[in-house]
């Protein structure tokens, strides 16, 4: 028999009604009695009321014991029909004592017993005894071993008023624990719920967590009521405390258990820390240009938020010896005081028994999470070598490629990993993979920006870098540097007659032949088109330079066999040496270019060194200037159109008119060559007016053909912009062509705009009043600012293509471009980026919400026919 189980007082009600007799243990705080089947105790008699009476449990003052009071009627206070009789006397309520007989009608009654010295088992058996009086008097032989039952007459009189007062608020009935304590620390009252929930509370009193520091807390509170949290074992409760000064009592009420709530709050705080760490890490991975440094910062943020021993970042790679897929640690974060394990995780083959399962799970995108002791013996051996007790690993993926894994490691204790930690780690893995992808894209863009994609040679930008570095490395005074400028004779004829495919193949073979001819330390670059530059470092004599030039000329004279064609070309080479006439990279290249033109004038297929006399005006330029005067009359000038595209919709929103000169002998000449001649000679006024008129005529023709109306943009040269009759000329052109002014856009360069800001302001205001669109071209090259230009009535701003070209080579350029876009849009300008040649450049511009783009990636400059076809495709 357990402890003091037989000392417990137990309560029985023996009910006798037309259906017979049954014994009921009274275990609850309240019972309803009546004929309605929904009553707790059903009385099977038609003359008993539907709800005839109520039994209420009443605690005996200053004890843990209780008795029962019976009340006539229901919970709403409605009396029964027949009334209530206890021991033959009518009453409205009665505090029951052992042996009391309760009569409900002539056929239905109940007897109330209070017994002790019974075990729980025998108490249960007594409830099934038919004649309880025989059992209690010890006449049942089977129960003779039980101590004599004690029938106690519990005296309620002293407790009657207190009990009734408590019954008014039903403290005995509610399931929440209620405790009273006086200012001496004595427990004066416990309701049944408190006794059941905290069985030893009365014995240990103030030592119990529910009452610990309660007197001190009451004294320190300014108000008589407050709420506090208490912890009992592994449970947390919300406790309401009321000080009753009139009776010098402290009454506490256990409002609710909040263990799960507190756990949820802790998990929420941890989740918030993890989310903040993930956001912080994502910011590092986006903003930090150094990928390795960004990874270190991201892992540190994650490690501190999760409070783990270590954070690992592994990368897959072929094993350096066997070639098997292996794993090596790329980066590790360790908590302060912990030891690194970097050397333990290098070149671990996935084919080893401890890692085979890992590769399979991670490859399929699954998480690895458990205690080390749960893993296989082989895996345990691998992990215990690093003192790992529990881990959480998630895969790193780039699209469909599994390239590594990210992991949290605990070495001091076995740790259960929450769903928040797992989801945060997965999110972090996605951010790291995104950063890796951006790094690869940036490296690709950087390579593409520094190399010619057709030949694989360094491009103009890279060549300038190499040349500048070479100049800075010169130490010996006898050393010098030579630059060769080479272009191909007759290349244009081959390209035009046999097509660009043959022309491209020819350029690739030319590049390879030059590479095979020069020295190992020399560098050849494709300058553009059919032009190549060659850097010769550490030269001390002229003869070796001459020999290299001759070798190049000779190797290019040999036949080229391409797609069934036997082709022959020649070349011309200009050479400049570093010296007082050519002291820097820019001058060296200019002088080598001048020497190249001189070589062409000497009959081509030869080389020429730069001489100071070549600094005088180039005869070739004199010839060009002379021919330019007749170009319009001979209809050699033409307009090409380069579409401008909305970066969001991909639709063409406008065309930029680009002037070209189709020279009968020299072919198409770039405006960079003849525009300066036209400016200097004054021809730009008439040429510019012709270009404006042709652009307006063509735009109106497209509109009349039913194509979606677009703007046509025309560049105004400095001389053209400053001519006094510009407004008058534009008015005449718009009138003649019947093109509405909102479809004509005028572009002036930033340098032109800031040269005379007062003149520019007046001139642009006059043009804006005409309804024309105004754009500032090549922004960023004139060393001005948007704040300086905000007074001017521009509608559009074009970001200079030099910024776009340097987007991937100079980390600061991306921030400059974003600043231009942000400030420009804040001033109400539409932002247009020109010179976009690579997809990554387009994606970056889209990410910073640039409005429109223009460049070879989307459209090259198009002839009228090609531009018309492009507009036709827009309407499909």
């Amino acid at each position: 028999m357990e402890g003091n189980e037989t000392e417990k007082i137990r309560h029985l009600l023996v009910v006798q009604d037309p259906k017979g007799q049954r014994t009921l243990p009274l275990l609850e705080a309240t019972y309803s009695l009546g004929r309605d089947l929904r009553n707790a105790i059903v009385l099977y008699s038609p003359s008993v009321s539907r709800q005839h009476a109520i039994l209420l449990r009443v605690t005996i003052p200053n004890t843990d014991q209780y008795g029962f009071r019976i009340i006539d009627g229901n919970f709403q206070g409605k009396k029964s029909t027949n009334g209530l009789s206890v021991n033959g006397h009518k009453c409205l309520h009665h505090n029951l004592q052992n042996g009391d007989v309760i009569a409900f009608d002539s056929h239905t009654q109940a007897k109330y017993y209070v017994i002790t010295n019974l075990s729980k088992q025998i108490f249960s058996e007594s409830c099934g005894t038919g004649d309880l009086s025989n059992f209690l008097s010890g006449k049942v032989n089977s129960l003779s071993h039980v101590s004599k039952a004690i029938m106690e007459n519990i005296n309620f009189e002293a407790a009657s008023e207190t009990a009734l007062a408590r019954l008014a608020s039903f403290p005995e009935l509610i399931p929440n624990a209620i405790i009273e304590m006086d200012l001496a620390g004595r427990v004066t009252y416990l309701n049944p719920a408190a006794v059941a929930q905290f069985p030893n509370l009365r014995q240990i009193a103030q030592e119990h967590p529910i009452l610990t520091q309660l007197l001190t807390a009451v004294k320190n509170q300014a108000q008589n009521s407050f709420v506090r949290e208490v912890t009992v074992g592994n449970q947390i409760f919300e406790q309401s405390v009321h000080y009753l000064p009139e009776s010098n009592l402290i009454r506490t009420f256990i409002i609710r258990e909040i263990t799960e709530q507190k756990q949820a709050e802790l998990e929420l705080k941890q989740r918030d820390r993890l989310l903040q760490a993930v956001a912080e890490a994502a910011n590092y991975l986006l903003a930090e240009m150094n990928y390795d440094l960004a990874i270190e910062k991201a892992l540190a943020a994650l490690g501190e938020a999760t409070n783990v021993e270590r954070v690992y970042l592994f990368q897959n790679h072929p094993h350096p010896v066997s070639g098997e897929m292996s794993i090596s640690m790329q980066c590790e974060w360790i908590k302060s005081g912990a030891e690194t394990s970097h050397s333990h995780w290098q070149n671990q083959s996935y084919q080893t028994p401890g890692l085979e399962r890992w590769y399979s799970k991670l490859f399929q995108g699954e998480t690895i999470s458990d205690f080390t002791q749960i893993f296989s013996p082989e895996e345990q051996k691998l992990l215990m070598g690093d003192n790992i007790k529990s881990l959480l690993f998630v895969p790193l993926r780039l699209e469909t490629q599994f390239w590594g894994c990210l992991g949290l490691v605990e070495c001091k204790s076995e740790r259960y990993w929450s769903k928040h930690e797992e989801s945060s780690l997965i999110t972090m893995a996605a951010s790291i993979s995104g950063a890796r992808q951006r790094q690869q894209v940036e490296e690709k863009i950087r390579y593409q920006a520094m190399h010619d994609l057709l030949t694989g040679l360094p491009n103009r930008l890279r060549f300038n870098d190499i040349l500048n570095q070479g100049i800075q490395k010169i130490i010996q005074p006898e050393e010098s540097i030579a630059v060769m400028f080479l272009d191909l004779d007759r290349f244009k004829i081959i390209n035009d007659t046999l097509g660009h495919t043959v022309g491209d193949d020819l350029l690739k073979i030319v590049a390879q032949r030059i590479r095979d001819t020069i020295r190992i330390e020399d560098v050849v670059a494709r300058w553009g088109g059919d032009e190549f530059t060659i850097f010769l470092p550490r030269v001390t004599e002229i003869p070796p330079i001459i020999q290299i030039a001759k070798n190049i000329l000779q190797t290019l004279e040999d036949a080229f066999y391409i797609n069934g064609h036997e082709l022959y070309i020649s070349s011309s080479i200009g050479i400049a040496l570093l010296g007082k006439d050519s002291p820097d990279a820019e001058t060296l290249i200019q002088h080598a270019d001048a020497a190249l033109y001189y070589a062409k004038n000497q009959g081509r297929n030869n080389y020429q060194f730069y001489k100071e006399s070549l600094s005088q005006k180039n005869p070739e330029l004199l010839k060009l200037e002379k021919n330019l005067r007749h170009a319009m009359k001979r209809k050699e000038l033409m307009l090409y159109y380069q579409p401008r595209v909305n970066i969001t919709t991909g639709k063409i929103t406008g065309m930029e008119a680009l002037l070209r000169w189709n020279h009968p002998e020299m072919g198409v000449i770039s405006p960079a060559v003849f525009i300066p001649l036209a400016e200097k000679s004054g021809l730009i006024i008439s040429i510019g007016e012709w270009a404006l008129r042709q652009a307006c005529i063509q735009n109106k023709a497209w509109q009349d053909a039913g194509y979606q109306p677009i703007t046509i943009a025309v560049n105004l040269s400095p001389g053209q912009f400053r001519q006094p009759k510009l407004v008058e000329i534009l008015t005449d052109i718009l009138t003649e062509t019947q093109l509405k002014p909102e479809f004509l856009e005028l572009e002036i360069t930033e340098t032109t705009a800031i040269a005379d800001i007062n003149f520019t302001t007046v001139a642009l205001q006059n043009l804006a009043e005409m309804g024309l669109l105004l754009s500032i071209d090549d922004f960023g090259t004139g060393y001005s600012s948007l704040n300086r230009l905000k007074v001017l009535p521009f509608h559009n701003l074009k970001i200079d293509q030099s910024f776009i070209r340097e987007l991937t080579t100079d980390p600061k350029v991306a921030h400059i471009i974003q600043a231009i876009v942000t400030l420009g849009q804040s001033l109400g300008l539409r932002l247009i980026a020109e010179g976009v040649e690579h997809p990554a450049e387009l994606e970056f511009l889209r990410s910073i919400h640039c409005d429109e783009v223009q460049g070879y990636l989307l459209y090259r400059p198009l002839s009228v026919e090609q531009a018309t076809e492009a507009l036709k495709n827009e309407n499909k």
Side-chain angles (χ1 to χ4, degrees):
M1 191 172 291
E2 300 176 2
N4 60 353
E5 186 182 325
T6 58
E7 296 178 6
K8 291 182 180 179
I9 296 177
R10 308 181 189 275
H11 303 262
L12 293 174
L13 190 69
V14 180
V15 178
Q16 179 73 44
D17 60 18
K19 271 200 172 185
Q21 178 177 298
R22 58 192 184 279
T23 302
L24 305 172
L26 299 179
L27 305 175
E28 304 297 332
T30 179
Y31 294 88
S32 60
L33 298 88
R35 76 170 188 272
D36 193 297
L37 297 179
R38 289 171 293 182
N39 285 289
I41 299 175
V42 180
L43 304 175
Y44 298 98
S45 174
S47 59
V48 172
S49 298
R50 296 183 64 85
Q51 189 177 92
H52 199 105
I54 301 168
L55 271 178
L56 293 179
R57 187 165 63 187
V58 182
T59 302
I60 307 303
N62 301 318
T63 72
D64 292 340
Q65 303 304 325
Y66 58 87
F68 280 88
R69 162 176 288 233
I70 189 163
I71 302 172
D72 183 43
N74 60 19
F75 283 104
Q76 285 74 40
K78 183 179 179 182
K79 306 303 180 185
S80 64
T81 303
N82 301 329
L84 192 67
S85 174
V86 179
N87 299 328
H89 300 285
K90 283 281 187 177
C91 60
L92 295 176
H93 57 81
H94 179 76
N95 291 327
L96 295 174
Q97 298 185 39
N98 184 57
D100 282 350
V101 178
I102 309 162
F104 302 96
D105 66 8
S106 59
H107 305 290
T108 306
Q109 68 175 20
K111 290 183 180 181
Y112 173 73
Y113 295 101
V114 181
I115 60 177
T116 187
N117 286 343
L118 290 181
S119 68
K120 184 177 180 180
Q121 178 184 355
I122 298 177
F123 176 68
S124 299
E125 293 174 357
S126 71
C127 294
T129 301
D131 187 352
L132 192 64
S133 60
N134 291 335
F135 168 75
L136 293 174
S137 62
K139 292 182 179 180
V140 180
N141 292 331
S142 61
L143 299 177
S144 60
H145 64 281
V146 179
S147 300
K148 181 180 179 182
I150 300 174
M151 295 183 290
E152 298 184 0
N153 292 321
I154 302 173
N155 185 3
F156 284 88
E157 296 307 319
S160 181
E161 291 184 4
T162 305
L164 288 175
R166 291 197 179 110
L167 283 173
S169 59
F170 286 89
E172 300 289 314
L173 309 181
I174 63 175
N176 300 71
I178 297 178
I179 306 103
E180 280 184 359
M181 181 178 73
D182 62 21
L183 296 185
R186 292 187 297 270
V187 176
T188 59
Y189 171 71
L190 296 174
N191 76 337
V195 174
Q197 194 165 12
F198 310 114
N200 61 342
L201 191 148
R202 186 182 294 277
Q203 287 73 26
I204 64 176
Q206 293 186 73
E207 300 300 321
H208 196 281
I210 290 294
L211 303 179
T212 299
Q213 299 298 320
L214 188 58
L215 289 173
T216 303
V218 168
K219 292 176 183 178
N220 293 336
Q221 288 289 332
Q223 297 179 341
N224 291 338
S225 298
F226 59 92
V227 176
R228 69 174 189 169
E229 293 178 5
V230 293
T231 301
V232 181
N234 58 0
Q235 293 177 295
I236 305 173
F237 298 94
E238 190 173 62
Q239 180 184 29
S240 175
V241 180
H242 302 273
Y243 171 51
L244 308 175
E246 64 277 4
S247 56
N248 287 328
L249 289 175
I250 300 171
R251 178 178 293 167
T252 74
F253 178 81
I254 301 302
I255 302 173
R256 59 193 174 116
E257 183 187 347
I258 56 173
T259 309
E260 292 185 2
Q261 174 187 322
K262 300 303 290 185
Q263 182 62 35
E265 289 175 359
L266 289 174
E267 291 180 2
L268 188 60
K269 288 180 181 179
Q270 175 64 4
R271 189 194 68 176
D272 290 342
R273 285 197 296 270
L274 288 170
L275 290 175
Q276 183 177 354
V278 169
E280 185 179 346
N283 184 58
Y284 292 142
L285 295 168
L286 284 171
E288 178 59 60
M289 301 301 290
N290 185 322
Y291 172 77
D292 293 331
L293 181 58
I295 293 294
E296 289 179 9
K297 290 181 177 180
L299 296 193
L302 181 63
E304 290 167 3
T306 55
N307 194 31
V308 294
E309 192 84 5
R310 300 171 186 160
V311 183
Y312 290 159
L313 176 64
F314 295 112
Q315 184 171 346
N316 299 339
H317 63 90
H319 194 279
V321 177
S322 66
E324 296 174 342
M325 183 59 69
S326 303
I327 185 174
S328 288
M329 184 180 292
Q330 182 185 11
C331 188
E332 176 190 32
W333 176 87
I334 57 175
K335 185 187 290 186
S336 177
E339 295 182 359
T340 181
S341 56
H342 193 274
S343 60
H344 181 74
W345 293 99
Q346 297 302 317
N347 299 320
Q348 293 277 4
S349 173
Y350 277 118
Q351 299 301 314
T352 59
L355 289 178
E356 281 181 323
R357 185 179 69 90
W358 287 27
Y359 183 84
S360 176
K361 288 180 68 69
L362 293 170
F363 181 82
Q364 295 173 18
E366 298 179 21
T367 298
I368 297 176
S369 172
D370 224 323
F371 303 147
T372 297
Q373 64 178 7
I374 305 299
F375 288 105
S376 68
E378 294 83 2
E379 292 169 326
Q380 289 184 34
K381 182 179 179 182
L382 178 67
L383 296 175
M384 291 308 296
D386 202 12
N387 297 318
I388 296 175
K389 295 197 175 189
S390 58
L391 59 82
L392 170 63
F393 278 14
V394 298
L396 293 165
R397 306 185 70 86
L398 279 178
E399 296 178 351
T400 59
Q401 179 191 4
F402 162 50
W403 68 275
C405 56
L406 179 67
L408 302 176
V409 169
E410 193 60 60
C411 301
K412 292 184 177 179
S413 62
E414 293 183 337
R415 175 166 173 171
Y416 170 77
W417 307 100
S418 69
K419 288 294 183 182
H420 293 318
E421 289 168 332
E422 183 177 347
S423 61
S424 297
L425 196 63
I426 291 172
T427 303
M428 180 75 78
S431 296
I432 290 175
S433 292
R436 176 180 170 86
Q437 189 171 31
R438 285 192 298 276
Q439 180 203 29
Q440 292 177 344
V441 170
E442 288 168 3
E443 289 176 351
K444 184 177 180 181
I445 292 175
R446 191 174 295 111
Y447 177 85
Q448 292 175 343
M450 305 293 283
H451 292 78
D452 172 55
L453 297 183
L454 178 65
T455 62
L457 297 176
N459 61 11
R460 182 183 307 192
L461 184 63
R462 179 63 179 149
F463 184 82
N464 283 330
D465 288 343
I466 294 172
L467 183 55
N468 277 305
Q469 293 171 15
I471 293 173
Q472 294 171 7
K473 289 179 180 178
I474 292 180
I475 299 176
Q476 302 298 331
E478 65 272 14
E479 280 189 1
S480 185
I481 283 174
V483 171
M484 293 182 175
F485 211 119
L486 175 153
D487 79 351
L488 306 179
D489 305 326
R490 298 184 65 252
F491 174 77
K492 185 178 184 303
I493 297 173
I494 294 173
N495 200 51
D496 290 346
T497 56
L498 300 180
H500 293 293
T501 301
V502 172
D504 288 348
D505 289 344
L506 177 59
L507 289 173
K508 288 188 280 188
I509 299 174
V510 167
Q512 187 59 49
R513 286 191 183 183
I514 296 175
R515 259 194 303 239
D516 293 342
T517 303
I518 60 178
R519 302 172 303 175
I520 295 176
E521 63 268 29
D522 300 335
V523 177
V524 57
R526 186 183 178 196
W527 192 255
D530 63 344
E531 297 176 329
F532 297 85
T533 51
I534 304 165
F535 165 61
L536 306 175
R538 297 191 302 276
V539 294
T540 56
E541 298 177 306
I542 297 297
I545 302 174
I546 295 175
Q547 188 58 51
I548 291 173
K550 288 181 177 180
N551 291 342
I552 293 173
L553 293 174
Q554 178 60 47
T555 192
L556 295 181
E557 283 183 346
D558 295 340
F560 293 83
Y561 298 95
I562 302 173
N563 294 342
H565 302 283
E566 182 178 340
L567 306 175
Y568 293 91
I569 61 170
S570 59
S571 62
S572 302
I573 300 175
I575 307 171
L577 294 171
L578 183 70
K580 63 177 182 178
D581 296 329
S582 309
D584 53 51
E586 183 179 359
T587 308
L588 263 174
I589 294 171
Q590 289 176 352
H591 288 174
D593 192 19
L596 169 64
Y597 276 98
Y598 185 66
K600 285 180 174 291
N601 288 336
Q602 297 301 311
R604 303 175 186 263
N605 196 29
N606 71 96
Y607 64 89
Q608 293 293 330
F609 282 87
Y610 172 78
K611 301 175 184 177
E612 190 175 359
S613 60
L614 295 181
S615 297
Q616 306 300 322
K617 193 165 187 179
N618 195 308
E620 192 89 4
L621 297 180
L622 287 172
K623 181 180 178 182
L624 277 177
E625 182 178 329
K626 181 178 179 180
N627 290 338
L628 184 59
R629 296 181 181 276
H630 304 286
M632 278 197 300
K633 184 186 296 183
R634 296 170 181 169
K635 297 184 178 180
E636 295 173 2
L637 294 178
M638 65 183 73
L639 288 182
Y640 273 59
Y641 300 90
Q642 187 171 28
R644 195 163 66 202
V645 172
N646 183 293
I647 201 167
T648 301
T649 64
K651 297 292 185 181
I652 295 175
T653 58
M655 297 273 190
E656 182 179 2
L658 302 172
L659 188 62
R660 296 292 185 267
W661 180 13
N662 190 8
H663 193 281
E665 296 177 6
M666 301 181 67
V668 176
I669 301 175
S670 168
V673 176
F674 69 84
I675 291 296
L677 292 176
E679 284 274 354
K680 191 170 184 179
S681 63
L683 292 172
I684 195 63
I685 303 299
S686 56
I687 292 175
E689 182 177 343
W690 175 87
L692 279 167
R693 183 173 279 102
Q694 288 301 117
C696 290
I697 290 172
Q698 185 57 59
N699 198 15
K700 187 64 170 64
W702 281 330
Q703 291 184 10
D704 292 342
Y707 298 119
Q708 182 69 27
I710 59 172
T711 60
I712 196 83
V714 181
N715 289 280
L716 295 182
S717 68
Q720 192 178 5
F721 176 65
R722 289 183 171 80
Q723 62 177 311
K725 294 184 178 181
L726 179 60
V727 172
E728 182 180 338
I729 291 172
L730 285 166
T731 302
D732 290 343
I733 290 174
L734 291 173
T735 301
E736 291 172 14
T737 61
Q738 297 183 348
L739 182 70
K740 293 180 180 180
E742 60 263 31
F743 296 116
L744 177 61
E745 180 180 335
L746 301 178
E747 297 183 1
I748 66 169
T749 64
E750 179 187 9
T751 305
T752 301
I754 66 174
D756 186 344
I757 198 71
N758 293 328
F759 172 85
T760 300
T761 302
V762 175
L764 291 180
Q765 286 175 347
N766 292 334
L767 296 174
E769 289 172 1
M770 291 178 61
L772 299 168
L773 293 176
L774 302 175
S775 295
I776 182 168
D777 194 17
D778 299 338
F779 183 80
T781 60
Y783 304 98
S784 67
S785 69
L786 284 175
N787 286 330
R788 186 176 178 186
L789 299 172
K790 67 181 179 182
V791 297
L792 302 177
F794 285 113
H795 303 92
N796 300 331
L797 183 148
K798 298 188 74 174
I799 303 170
D800 186 65
Q801 58 185 339
S802 63
F803 284 100
I804 307 302
R805 282 199 301 266
E806 296 176 1
L807 178 60
T808 57
T809 59
D810 188 349
K812 296 180 181 178
V813 169
H815 298 293
I816 293 173
I817 294 174
Q818 186 165 9
I820 291 173
V821 170
T822 302
L823 187 54
Q825 290 177 340
S826 70
L827 295 176
L829 299 175
R830 191 164 184 82
L831 278 298
I832 304 161
E834 56 183 356
V836 178
E837 297 184 2
H838 304 293
E841 297 167 351
L842 180 64
E843 288 304 314
F844 173 80
L845 293 168
R846 181 181 286 116
S847 71
I848 63 172
H849 307 298
C850 184
D851 298 302
E852 297 179 355
V853 289
Q854 180 180 333
Y856 280 12
L857 177 64
L858 304 164
Y859 293 96
R860 291 176 174 270
L862 307 174
S863 64
V864 173
E865 294 78 12
Q866 292 170 329
T868 302
E869 188 66 23
L871 290 175
K872 184 185 298 183
N873 292 334
E874 287 284 289
N875 289 349
K876 290 182 179 179

